[in-house]
Amino acid sequence: MKVMIFDTKPYDRQYLNAENKNYGYKLKYIESKLTPDTARLAAGYDAVCAFVNDDLGAETLDALENVGVRAVAMRCAGYNNVDIRHAFHKIHVVRVPKYSPYAIAEHALALLMTLNRKTHRAYQRTRDANFELNGLLGFDLHGKTVGVIGTGQIGRCFIDICRGLGMRIIASDPYPNKNVDYPYMSVEELLPQADVVSLHCPLTAENYHLLDKAHMDMMKPGAVIVNTSRGALVDTAALIDGLRSGHIGGAALDVYEEEADFFFEDHSNEVMQDDQLALLLSFRNVIVTSHQAFFTHEALQKIAEVTFMNLQNFERFQKDRQVYLDNEVCYHCDHYGTNCPKKEGKNCF
Ligand code: NAI
């Protein structure tokens, strides 16, 4: 197998190279993102490997198909950046559905704690021998209500953590978990009750701007938003208005709608060209991290492990079409639900 790996940093290469010792695939690392322009570099490769901010729209998928690529291995869980409908019957897309839900849930907690107790500001102050407490007032999380939107792998871990803190948990998910000790409700019922709203659902066409102005208006005054899922779940303009008016008490964001232009790169020597991001960064009650929730040793190890298993599976599938691609992102699942051949243990195509 020859695999071209896009959008890589030294830390990606370290983990992928270590895992490749078990496989011996021919890997070519590319620092640039996968785009319609860079896709043609993959000529002669069997598969490409891509990440969260790569562009896997129709144009890129066509370009990949034209140069003979038959599989895309996403080294992430989310796949909102892949045009699955367009990939159908052309390119098999596999992903890493579960690597370390703990990594993301724990980062959501770190963001929430920092935002609430302002440890980032305290750290700066004490280093400058400023031991004042003015402006650092927080609130007890114990006894507060957390509204968890999306109770899959990560949402469930986050709920366990919040339970440990003594928080009251309420949840919203179109596919509720059974036998749980927290109530499910619609997003509209959840928002007015929650002191903290944490997003743990995937980004889909249906929930784009799930937290828009109307939904933010429903939130409890002073409530805080934690988003470690995908930026476009939150309407940034509405969030800025809510923060300015004081209706939203704070936002802890590991993701941002337009992050692809900035995140994972050093822009510290440039004038910030994104007005909304510049505003968010200027607010005292906003914390932005650069899509780093996944960034733990355990998660990177697991991502490498599953990515190579996915590639090996695809290699076998090319020889025997009956081989099942466990982690395929399936067009039928997304678009036809119950008619999906995966339910009978068959591949998407
Ligand atoms: P999962 O598939 O286990 O769970 C997602 C849950 O969201 C499912 O139970 C689903 O029914 C629910 N859901 C779907 N649409 C919903 C809606 N409109 N409202 C409420 N619930 C909805 O996924 P997992 O592993 O928990 O990941 C969740 C998301 O976290 C991923 O889709 C990805 O966007 C994000 N993520 C972020 C990372 C980071 O580094 N910041 C790393 C990994 C994932």
Side-chain angles (χ1 to χ4, degrees), residues 172-312:
S172 186
D173 193 309
Y175 302 98
N177 296 316
K178 295 195 176 76
N179 305 320
V180 290
D181 60 358
Y182 43 86
Y184 277 96
M185 57 193 74
S186 68
V187 171
E188 290 74 20
E189 284 172 287
L190 175 146
L191 292 174
Q193 298 185 49
D195 301 288
V196 176
V197 174
S198 196
L199 299 175
H200 298 289
C201 56
L203 174 65
T204 61
E206 293 73 37
N207 66 18
Y208 173 80
H209 282 184
L210 173 76
L211 291 187
D212 56 7
K213 180 174 168 20
H215 279 110
M216 284 188 210
D217 285 348
M218 288 175 202
M219 286 176 63
K220 205 167 168 176
V224 303
I225 295 172
V226 181
N227 188 6
T228 54
S229 273
R230 284 295 180 267
L233 289 169
V234 176
D235 178 349
T236 309
L239 175 63
I240 289 171
D241 285 349
L243 287 161
R244 267 197 171 130
S245 72
H247 181 67
I248 306 292
L253 310 171
D254 186 49
V255 286
Y256 168 62
E257 280 195 81
E258 304 301 332
E259 68 177 49
D261 293 338
F262 299 97
F263 283 18
F264 306 133
E265 306 298 335
D266 179 4
H267 292 275
S268 60
N269 293 315
E270 298 160 17
V271 174
M272 170 58 70
Q273 296 297 330
D274 182 314
D275 291 350
Q276 288 190 326
L277 183 56
L279 263 176
L280 286 175
L281 295 173
S282 75
F283 290 146
R284 292 272 172 258
N285 52 350
V286 172
I287 294 182
V288 176
T289 52
S290 181
H291 206 135
Q292 73 171 77
F294 74 99
F295 200 52
T296 66
H297 165 71
E298 290 76 6
L300 290 190
Q301 210 164 42
K302 189 80 182 171
I303 288 171
E305 228 175 87
V306 177
T307 297
F308 278 96
M309 269 168 46
N310 285 342
L311 288 167
Q312 188 183 53

Side-chain angles (χ1 to χ4, degrees), residues 130-148:
N130 175 356
F131 301 103
E132 224 187 346
L133 296 184
N134 266 337
L136 302 184
L137 191 69
F139 55 85
D140 284 8
L141 288 170
H142 180 92
K144 296 293 182 303
T145 299
V146 58
V148 179

